[in-house]
Amino acid sequence: MTILPTQLRKLALAASLAFACALPGLAAADEAGDLVFTERAPWSLPDGGEVWALDIVVPQGAEVRAFRDGKLSLVTTTDPKDGKPMLQLLEDGGGLERKIGPFPSDGGDPTVVFFLETVARNMAASSGGSPYYIRNRLKDAVFRGGELTSEGDTKVAVFRPFLNDPNKARMGVFEQLELRFVIADPKEPIASMTATTGGETPAFLVSMVQP
């Protein structure tokens, strides 16, 4: 099953525009977002591509496909039109296998866009909120509200999209949503991306972690 990444491309475009329009005075606040959306081309993927364990947890009763022990792969493919290398995502989880892409090999990081779109789509379906509003809040958080810490040579970028949101009183557990990116090398794929409402058994979780 091949799915055209319309929503992924829209989020990628919005993220790129926000990055390009970042104000000079926000350099410190944008540092965490800069690391998440840094340029990682040209890509040099291993045989079999880069692989993440993919887990999605949603509140009980939500009509959303949730699963554990899924897999997301980033692989190289070939553009049939001109034979040039392209990137493609392969998702396998919850009884569904699909191809997403292809994406330009000299463009942005499709795994980050996939992660953010997955968070937005599942949160909207679980909460009944507007996917457009949620996508905009995620985008704003990544570019304007991040916290960056170091764990040895590894950087950890944390974002809380709804902490100061004027509508947070209506969001229930999603008010506590936290995005966390673990970045060992800015030029390499991000090793861990998680979105969680917190606690030992979070009501909502999207997790992409390299083994």
Side-chain angles (χ1 to χ4, degrees), residues 134-195:
I134 292 169
R135 287 187 186 101
N136 284 334
R137 296 291 73 77
L138 296 181
K139 180 194 69 176
D140 289 345
V142 172
F143 281 95
R144 296 178 182 274
E147 299 174 4
L148 191 62
T149 59
S150 298
E151 296 179 359
D153 294 332
T154 298
K155 300 290 186 181
V156 180
V158 177
F159 309 88
R160 298 177 179 87
F162 304 102
L163 182 64
N164 299 310
D165 191 281
N167 296 303
K168 67 180 182 180
R170 297 186 293 174
M171 292 186 173
V173 296
F174 291 104
E175 175 189 344
Q176 306 167 39
L177 186 73
E178 178 182 282
L179 309 178
R180 179 178 292 262
F181 299 83
V182 178
I183 304 164
D185 183 340
K187 287 295 184 180
E188 297 294 328
I190 298 177
S192 173
M193 297 176 248
T194 58

Side-chain angles (χ1 to χ4, degrees), residues 42 44 87 112:
S44 179
L87 299 175
V112 174

Side-chain angles (χ1 to χ4, degrees), residues 18-42:
F19 179 76
C21 297
L23 297 176
L26 295 175
D30 289 342
E31 186 179 0
D34 288 352
L35 275 178
V36 171
F37 278 104
T38 192
E39 179 62 62
R40 297 187 171 90

Side-chain angles (χ1 to χ4, degrees), residues 57-58 68 173 196-205:
V57 174
V58 297
R68 291 282 193 177
V173 296
T196 177
T197 51
E200 292 185 5
T201 56
F204 180 85
L205 171 73

Side-chain angles (χ1 to χ4, degrees), residues 77-87 102-106:
T77 187
T78 301
D79 189 333
K81 295 180 181 178
D82 56 20
K84 292 183 178 180
M86 302 283 284
L87 299 175
F103 301 90
S105 60
D106 57 354

